[in-house]
Amino acid sequence: MSTVLIANPKGGSGKTTLATNLAGYFASRGKHVVLSDMDRQRSALQWLERRPYKLPLIHGQDGRSQYTNSLSADWTIVDSPAGLRGDRLSQAVKDAHFVIVPMQPSAFDMGATRDFLEVLQEEKSVRKGKTFVAMIGMRVDNRTRAAQALQEFLAKSGFPSVGNLRNAQVYALAAEQGASLFDIRPSQVSRDLQQWAPLLHWLVNASKQK
């Protein structure tokens, strides 16, 4: 049983995109997956409502009051709301085995995330090595100066960086259909699957240490 918290206090950082696709990945591998939505906008649960029955099953959960998974779940993916802080943040981090922080390559995102990372560093479960934290860039064009600035920021974050995901139209098209990148024919999304490899590799390796 593993719980992954997707968290960043900045709205629009790509949390739901990351959460739904991560849930889709583990479901495609035959795992029992719970997608828990802590956000009152219910974007992740709405995605799940659009999901065709023929795709691998993902169980939904309203995480606003209870977001820990049942013992039978292999993976619980928690999509957190913007502005998660204080006791709610501490409890969510404590209950998670992994925290993944998505962020876009902009000065606004870096500014909003910097203080959040300092808070994460001080969380007891993180300091004691019970909760693993990683960073990932979202909607990144590696050819831009903004992407370079993001890489410099991530290198100084104090947490491992597990790559960048590009701003591809396939994510929006999949979201409209309740699908994930991993429900699409691999030949159509080969470049994007390659970008996911470092994150998935990190999760698998870190899960062996917990």
Side-chain angles (χ1 to χ4, degrees):
M1 181 184 71
S2 296
T3 299
V4 183
L5 173 68
I6 311 298
N8 189 323
K10 177 76 167 56
S13 59
K15 291 186 289 292
T16 301
T17 295
L18 193 59
T20 53
N21 279 277
L22 198 54
Y25 167 75
F26 286 115
S28 75
R29 306 287 289 184
K31 303 299 183 181
H32 179 180
V33 180
V34 171
L35 179 59
S36 182
D37 194 342
M38 294 178 68
D39 196 334
R40 63 183 179 183
Q41 294 181 356
R42 300 180 72 256
S43 297
L45 291 180
Q46 288 173 9
W47 171 83
L48 203 53
E49 290 170 359
R50 296 192 296 272
R51 189 167 176 80
Y53 72 91
K54 64 182 179 180
L55 294 180
L57 179 63
I58 298 172
H59 300 271
Q61 185 177 69
D62 187 339
R64 287 175 294 180
S65 57
Q66 178 71 22
Y67 55 87
T68 53
N69 61 312
S70 64
L71 293 177
S72 61
D74 298 312
W75 289 87
T76 295
I77 313 300
V78 183
D79 185 18
S80 68
L84 182 66
R85 56 176 56 90
D87 291 341
R88 288 190 74 203
L89 171 62
S90 295
Q91 187 62 49
V93 173
K94 180 181 178 181
D95 290 342
H97 300 101
F98 311 99
V99 178
I100 303 175
V101 183
M103 60 179 301
Q104 294 192 61
S106 79
F108 296 111
D109 285 74
M110 285 182 269
T113 306
R114 185 175 288 107
D115 292 341
F116 177 66
L117 295 180
E118 292 178 359
V119 172
L120 278 183
Q121 291 275 17
E122 295 302 317
E123 288 293 336
K124 186 176 181 180
S125 61
V126 174
R127 287 190 286 108
K128 291 193 172 185
K130 295 181 178 180
T131 302
F132 299 90
V133 181
M135 312 286 298
I136 188 165
M138 302 293 289
R139 304 186 185 100
V140 178
D141 183 343
N142 290 322
R143 301 166 296 181
T144 63
R145 289 184 179 180
Q148 182 179 349
L150 176 63
Q151 294 313 304
E152 293 172 356
F153 176 87
L154 295 178
K156 299 176 182 177
S157 69
F159 297 114
S161 173
V162 290
N164 296 325
L165 304 182
R166 66 183 182 133
N167 186 20
Q169 186 66 21
V170 66
Y171 287 106
L173 294 175
E176 291 174 1
Q177 301 170 19
S180 75
L181 195 71
F182 304 95
D183 299 312
I184 300 171
R185 187 179 303 169
S187 60
Q188 297 178 333
V189 289
S190 58
R191 179 180 174 186
D192 299 289
L193 292 177
Q194 290 175 0
Q195 292 189 329
W196 273 82
L199 168 59
L200 300 176
H201 181 72
W202 177 80
L203 273 174
V204 170
N205 281 348
S207 65
K208 295 177 182 178
Q209 302 176 41
K210 71 179 181 67

